Amino acid sequence: MTEQKKVRVRFAPSPTGRLHVGGARTAIDNWAFARANGGDFILRIEDTDPERSTEENVQVILNAMKWLGLDWDEGPEVGGEAGPYFQTQRMDTYRDALERLQERGAVYPCFCSKEILDAKRAKAEAEEGGYAGYDRTCRDLDPNEAAARIEAGEPHVWRLKVPLDHGPIEFDDAVYGPMSFPADVMDDMIVVRSDGSPTYNFAVVCDDANMGITHVIRGDDHLSNTPRQILIYEALGYDIPTFAHLSMILGPDGKKLSKRHGAASVEEFAERGYLPDAMVNFLALLGWSLDGETTLIGRDVLCREFSLERVTKKDAVFDETKLDWMNGQYIKEMGAKAWVEAASPWLARAFAGVDAETPLDDAQAAEAARDLAARPAFYEALYPLVCERLTRLDEATGKLSYMFWGPDVRALDEKSVNKVLLKEGARADEAVAACRSVLADESLPWECEPLQEACRAKGEELGLKPKLLFQPLRVAVCGNMVSPPLFESIELLPREDVLARIDAVVDEVFHA
């Protein structure tokens, strides 16, 4: 009985921009698989694109991973015995692998220039019904001649010598099942370019082999790379890992998810007020399920129960309505203290009197931070007002801005004024006056229930039903007819501010 290897998986993004949610889903699946199997999750940066792979972009990737809460066991900022974890720092390993292939007679130098290859391609496409790949012109060059041309400095690449008698390339994909690709359609691919740099397929095989990767879990756009990579594994004499290819993530229109569908990067979802736990839960369910029924799945369950057997090959649809619902459920369960911390950027905007998208300047941010530090209990008391009503954290700005107006009604909704305060026969002026008289009574405790009951009793005396009584008060205090619970809000505001708002609205609407 052979000893089972410890599970080692990797996520290997290219730092060419923000982390796409498709990449994040791949990272989550690798992370959860490692955790469920007591294995190692490795973060490796494929930074061989010199123009786009910047240090800033690397940090963007790392920040997205940290925001998602995907801790890696080896990689940047962590280290590990299989490092370094940047491809640009691993060039010596690719040179060593090339030497290994040369010693095994598995590669050969090719001196065909790009112009020659382009001409052959054009001729084949025009005359012979299609291009069938490199025609192996240099495969059988005399070794002495090849060595002399290399010694003379003639430009050349190194190509893999695909065995001519190789049968079908077969493997069991953990998602797609048994796969088979005919080897005779595989041309002798380039593994090292003329400048000495490795091609993608060669570098990734070297990295995965050297890092002891046991399972390669990645998007199915890499499925066509797999037979090529298996040929390289075989040529190097390395064990071939288990492959698992994840289905595409589609937009609601059935096309591959992209920016045209809206937010497509982890950073954008963070900026719009989604919670990392909700994002991890939602993305994990794009192609995987716990039991086909459970929707809300905590990290602990995911890290205990994730398995490749429950990953489907059916394309997953990114349903933002479902994400909004799921995020709302997490907000409802997170508690006041955690909510204040997570929602602080948008509470700061409410405090500053700007909308959810407007960035704060340094002075505004500092003032908002001071207010939050000075009265944390007030901010935590806002949570019950909105926790059942939010689907995203950024909605807190619009829903709670009235709590920071002080004695002024900074935004009096015209529709609410016309529908509630100026509605013919509604007696809105009487309702507001009646409630004001109650709220001005300092013998009453400034608490939600006593104030509400006293106002209700006053309304009954005047023959005003609760809706006709409370809706005008809501508009006078909160600026519109749709806001969080009214008396719970009033309790959190200073009495003098509430009375000043009522007086200002009465003057503006009824005495204008």
Side-chain angles (χ1 to χ4, degrees):
M1 182 176 173
T2 56
E3 185 181 350
Q4 192 169 7
K5 289 183 179 178
K6 182 181 183 182
V7 164
R8 286 175 64 81
V9 295
R10 50 71 169 177
F11 176 56
S14 298
T16 54
R18 291 180 164 190
L19 179 59
H20 187 276
V21 291
R25 190 270 305 264
T26 298
I28 290 165
D29 285 5
N30 275 279
W31 172 78
F33 183 73
R35 297 291 171 260
N37 289 279
D40 296 324
F41 174 54
I42 298 159
L43 179 61
R44 185 175 75 224
I45 304 297
E46 297 187 343
D47 59 342
T48 51
D49 182 340
E51 293 181 7
R52 300 171 66 197
S53 297
T54 64
E55 179 57 39
E56 182 182 356
N57 282 339
V58 169
Q59 204 54 54
V60 166
I61 297 286
L62 299 185
N63 288 342
M65 294 286 287
K66 291 173 185 175
W67 182 81
L68 287 167
L70 305 181
D71 55 319
W72 53 97
D73 303 299
E74 298 176 28
E77 300 182 357
V78 175
E81 292 182 5
Y85 297 91
F86 291 82
Q87 281 191 332
T88 51
Q89 298 172 17
R90 300 182 61 83
M91 290 303 169
D92 58 333
T93 67
Y94 309 135
R95 285 191 293 271
D96 291 346
L98 177 60
E99 287 181 16
R100 182 181 176 96
L101 291 175
Q102 290 166 343
E103 291 167 1
R104 297 168 71 93
V107 289
Y108 61 91
C110 173
F111 301 93
C112 298
S113 67
K114 182 178 183 300
E115 291 72 23
I116 289 174
L117 294 174
D118 287 346
K120 286 184 177 183
R121 179 190 291 269
K123 185 173 185 293
E125 289 176 347
E127 300 175 7
E128 299 163 22
Y131 180 65
Y134 176 62
D135 62 5
R136 295 171 170 154
T137 298
C138 297
R139 179 169 172 137
D140 296 319
L141 277 179
D142 178 85
N144 293 327
E145 179 192 342
R149 292 171 73 173
I150 292 172
E151 184 68 26
E154 187 172 343
H156 60 283
V157 299
W158 286 92
R159 291 183 179 271
L160 187 74
K161 190 182 288 186
V162 177
L164 299 180
D165 59 352
H166 198 297
I169 303 163
E170 297 177 335
F171 62 97
D172 279 329
D173 189 282
V175 175
Y176 280 80
M179 305 295 293
S180 179
F181 295 83
D184 55 9
V185 300
M186 298 288 173
D187 65 357
D188 290 353
M189 73 193 94
I190 297 171
V191 292
V192 174
R193 303 182 186 93
S194 57
D195 63 359
S197 64
T199 58
Y200 167 77
N201 282 320
F202 184 52
V204 79
V205 168
C206 294
D207 291 342
D208 286 346
N210 290 333
M211 293 182 178
I213 301 302
T214 60
H215 296 73
V216 174
I217 305 170
R218 60 190 180 186
D220 66 3
D221 52 327
H222 286 287
L223 191 55
S224 61
N225 285 326
T226 306
R228 298 177 180 276
Q229 292 173 7
I230 287 176
L231 288 172
I232 297 172
Y233 275 107
E234 291 175 346
L236 285 165
Y238 293 148
D239 290 342
I240 297 169
T242 298
F243 291 97
H245 289 91
L246 310 173
S247 62
M248 281 286 170
I249 299 178
L250 307 179
D253 58 0
K255 296 179 180 176
K256 184 178 177 182
L257 188 70
S258 66
K259 287 183 179 179
R260 70 175 177 274
H261 296 107
S265 73
V266 169
E267 211 169 341
E268 288 171 290
F269 283 98
E271 289 166 354
R272 291 173 61 201
Y274 290 93
L275 292 168
D277 284 348
M279 284 301 298
V280 168
N281 187 162
F282 176 76
L283 291 174
L285 290 178
L286 293 181
W288 174 83
S289 69
L290 178 65
D291 51 23
E293 297 178 4
T294 309
T295 304
L296 298 175
I297 300 169
R299 289 173 187 267
D300 56 338
V301 176
L302 179 63
C303 289
R304 187 174 66 246
E305 301 293 340
F306 185 89
S307 70
L308 295 174
E309 287 76 21
R310 293 201 62 84
V311 174
T312 176
K313 56 188 175 186
K314 182 182 177 184
D315 287 334
V317 177
F318 195 100
D319 181 354
E320 199 162 311
T321 302
K322 181 177 179 180
L323 172 59
D324 284 347
W325 171 83
M326 193 177 286
N327 201 59
Q329 297 303 305
Y330 274 89
I331 289 173
K332 192 160 50 174
E333 298 297 325
M334 70 190 300
K337 193 176 290 290
W339 175 77
V340 171
E341 184 177 348
S344 59
W346 297 283
L347 293 173
R349 288 173 170 84
F351 172 83
V354 300
D355 63 33
E357 285 78 40
T358 302
L360 302 183
D361 61 35
D362 291 346
Q364 289 173 314
E367 189 179 0
R370 282 193 295 271
D371 189 67
L372 178 56
R375 47 178 189 157
F378 167 78
Y379 282 88
E380 289 179 23
L382 298 177
Y383 174 68
L385 301 183
V386 293
C387 67
E388 302 273 353
R389 296 166 174 80
L390 296 178
T391 58
R392 301 193 314 266
L393 296 176
D394 64 346
E395 295 168 344
T397 303
K399 291 188 185 300
L400 291 170
S401 59
Y402 71 96
M403 295 298 296
F404 299 91
W405 286 347
D408 306 311
V409 178
R410 297 182 196 167
L412 189 58
D413 178 55
E414 185 178 349
K415 181 180 176 183
S416 298
V417 169
N418 292 328
K419 193 169 181 180
V420 176
L421 297 184
L422 296 179
K423 185 177 180 180
E424 191 172 345
R427 300 167 64 193
D429 54 343
E430 289 182 61
V432 173
C435 288
R436 191 205 185 284
S437 67
V438 171
L439 296 173
D441 182 357
E442 295 190 9
S443 67
L444 277 173
W446 193 252
E447 296 170 4
C448 169
E449 289 188 15
L451 293 174
Q452 186 171 358
E453 290 309 311
C455 285
R456 192 187 300 274
K458 190 76 170 177
E460 287 174 357
E461 287 178 23
L462 298 172
L464 286 168
K465 293 180 179 179
K467 182 178 179 181
L468 293 178
L469 180 72
F470 295 141
Q471 277 279 47
L473 178 64
R474 180 184 296 279
V475 176
V477 175
C478 307
N480 62 65
M481 57 188 177
V482 182
S483 63
L486 174 60
F487 284 92
E488 287 84 344
S489 300
I490 288 174
E491 180 183 331
L492 298 176
L493 296 169
R495 186 193 301 265
E496 58 271 23
D497 285 356
V498 173
L499 297 177
R501 290 187 194 185
I502 293 172
D503 292 343
V505 171
V506 166
D507 284 344
E508 182 178 342
V509 176
F510 300 122
H511 299 160

